[in-house]
Amino acid sequence: MSEAIKTDVLIIGAGPCGLFAVFELGLLDIKAHLIDILDKVGGQCAELYPEKPIYDIPGVPMVTGQGLTEQLMEQIKPFSPTFHLGEMVEKLEKIGDPGFRVTTDAGKVFECKVVVIAAGGGSFQPKRPPVPGIEAYEGTSVFYAVRKMEQFRDKHVVIVGGGDSALDWTLNLHPLAKRVTLVHRRDDFRAAPHSVEQMRALVASGKMDLRIGQVSALEGSNGQLSAATIKGNDNAVETVPCEMMLPFFGLTMKLGPVAEWGIALEHNLVPVETSAFETSVPGIFAIGDINTYPGKIKLILCGFHEGALMAQKAHRYVYPEKRLVFQYTTSSSSLQKKLGVN
Ligand SMILES: Cc1cc2nc3c(=O)[nH]c(=O)nc-3n(C[C@H](O)[C@H](O)[C@H](O)COP(=O)(O)OP(=O)(O)OC[C@H]3O[C@@H](n4cnc5c(N)ncnc54)[C@H](O)[C@@H]3O)c2cc1C
């Protein structure tokens, strides 16, 4: 076992809520290390919708998933958090009161006074559609998220699904792709009605295609797709050109090791009280999508609020002898000094 890395707080998950928690903790002189399974920060925002606009971050009329991630990284810079990316937290043990030992799958060991679980839906994995041989094209022609829209320029793109992701990417990619074909198993969509209307207008004006049925076979070689066979609900079979395929069949939220950490769980979520978002184990907090409480909404802004309240209580564990005086960043010269703006 490697020598333990000591820190005040260990944050599990570097999604938006984990990142903002660094800021709230930093204002209170609490140092944090963050661990994430992904090889980059930003959680769902960076992994699932980096180029999609978000409209409900307070005071920010519009920012993309990647843009928000970058702004959060800029905002927490003064607190120099340490990131351990590409590692999964496997073990969480109680070693003090409070005091915890955390071990990753890479064998790294941390000892800390407080643990903040900001693990979102756990390790999220896209559901693979039941198309024979699809694995051979994954990462080259078949993608479960759009990282770079440019990859799809002048390509025949087949998008499969009927939810928001399928409809949003249909609308976003059709001006750029050579042709977009949307395939859904029924002529009824779960996506936002406005998106469905826009898609139907594009189909009516001949700018894209809609097929009701399922992709039953793929053609191509060396990982490069060339065509997809679509079996209609009337059993009619059609082959359409397909160089890129985007199946959106939802995500499997694999809670993963969180379930083995001795914390009470409720439907694969971590129940918390709402004055500090602490779990059933004192010193372990849960913020963002991973937690549950009456009235919980899985919104980024809710996770930010949870991080602010968590930090106030974490301060008591990290500095039991110090009284915490509430201060505004606008008027406190000591907070401004920490932020490097004064
Ligand atoms: C398409 C889409 C659009 C959305 N649009 C909006 C919107 O407009 N507005 C809004 O407010 N919200 C939106 N959301 C929801 C928003 O993205 C989530 O609420 C937010 O990402 C939750 O942040 P989080 O930090 O709690 O978790 P996540 O973003 O899920 O990040 C959790 C991180 O924890 C890591 N992790 C999990 N388990 C472990 C482990 N054992 N060890 C190490 N790391 C671990 C994961 O790899 C992940 O990176 C949208 C979501 C999607 C999918």
Side-chain angles (χ1 to χ4, degrees):
M1 194 189 278
S2 59
E3 200 181 319
I5 299 167
K6 300 223 166 41
T7 177
D8 295 332
V9 174
L10 198 278
I11 302 176
I12 303 170
C17 303
L19 292 179
F20 191 65
V22 172
F23 184 82
E24 291 295 334
L25 291 164
L27 288 179
L28 308 184
D29 293 321
I30 302 174
K31 287 264 166 233
H33 281 238
L34 299 94
I35 305 173
D36 204 297
I37 303 167
L38 299 176
D39 60 0
K40 57 175 175 297
V41 299
Q44 294 175 48
C45 300
E47 178 68 8
L48 299 182
Y49 57 102
E51 295 188 20
K52 271 176 87 158
I54 307 172
Y55 299 102
D56 55 357
I57 302 298
V60 183
M62 195 284 275
V63 64
T64 61
Q66 186 57 33
L68 176 66
T69 304
E70 282 163 18
Q71 303 262 43
L72 285 166
M73 289 297 281
E74 184 63 30
Q75 195 169 20
I76 65 177
K77 224 188 225 168
F79 304 115
S80 317
T82 313
F83 291 95
H84 307 267
L85 299 177
E87 291 186 45
M88 177 166 75
V89 171
E90 278 191 335
K91 229 157 125 193
L92 170 53
E93 303 156 273
K94 193 166 158 53
I95 53 165
D97 201 16
F100 302 95
R101 183 180 295 124
V102 170
T103 313
T104 72
D105 58 352
K108 242 180 236 171
V109 181
F110 298 81
E111 283 177 8
C112 56
K113 296 189 183 117
V114 167
V115 171
V116 177
I117 304 174
S123 53
F124 42 86
Q125 288 166 3
K127 285 188 198 155
R128 178 182 281 154
V131 183
I134 190 169
E135 299 91 330
Y137 300 100
E138 284 173 348
T140 45
S141 288
V142 173
F143 297 93
Y144 296 97
V146 177
R147 299 263 166 77
K148 282 225 168 307
M149 284 169 63
E150 272 306 310
Q151 273 186 299
F152 297 84
R153 185 177 291 282
D154 297 326
K155 302 276 192 217
H156 283 282
V157 182
V158 172
I159 298 180
V160 194
D164 278 316
S165 298
L167 268 286
D168 287 357
W169 285 118
T170 297
L171 299 177
N172 284 325
L173 291 177
H174 101 88
L176 191 105
K178 188 179 271 174
R179 189 84 185 165
V180 170
T181 305
L182 175 65
V183 182
H184 186 40
R185 66 196 148 82
R186 48 200 166 91
D187 199 7
D188 180 27
F189 295 85
R190 293 184 316 280
H194 180 62
S195 306
V196 179
E197 268 169 42
Q198 281 181 280
M199 179 274 293
R200 290 206 192 276
L202 288 172
V203 173
S205 61
K207 293 191 175 133
M208 60 162 283
D209 300 309
L210 170 65
R211 296 287 181 269
I212 306 304
Q214 295 183 48
V215 174
S216 57
L218 298 172
E219 282 171 36
S221 60
N222 298 327
Q224 183 52 61
L225 272 178
S226 55
T229 302
I230 300 165
K231 192 171 170 200
N233 290 353
D234 53 359
N235 282 333
V237 171
E238 179 190 7
T239 298
V240 298
C242 170
E243 294 166 286
M244 304 288 245
M245 189 167 127
L246 285 165
F248 292 111
F249 280 49
L251 296 171
T252 314
M253 294 295 192
K254 276 189 70 185
L255 185 62
V258 180
E260 287 135 42
W261 296 343
I263 306 161
L265 290 180
E266 218 176 273
H267 305 298
N268 273 354
L269 295 166
V270 181
V272 287
E273 50 74 41
T274 52
S275 66
F277 304 96
E278 199 165 16
T279 68
S280 60
V281 180
I284 302 183
F285 297 80
I287 61 169
D289 279 13
I290 191 82
N291 75 14
T292 181
Y293 52 85
K296 167 74 182 182
I297 308 179
K298 288 187 183 182
L299 277 181
I300 295 165
L301 74 92
C302 298
F304 288 171
H305 159 79
E306 294 159 12
L309 269 61
M310 170 280 295
Q312 300 283 313
K313 178 91 185 263
H315 185 271
R316 279 199 235 159
Y317 292 124
V318 177
Y319 299 113
E321 72 294 349
K322 277 197 203 165
R323 196 167 70 87
L324 182 60
V325 181
F326 175 75
Q327 300 177 84
Y328 290 122
T329 54
T330 9
S331 40
S332 158
S333 54
S334 101
L335 290 186
Q336 288 166 6
K337 206 164 154 198
K338 291 175 201 177
L339 291 168
V341 291
N342 193 346

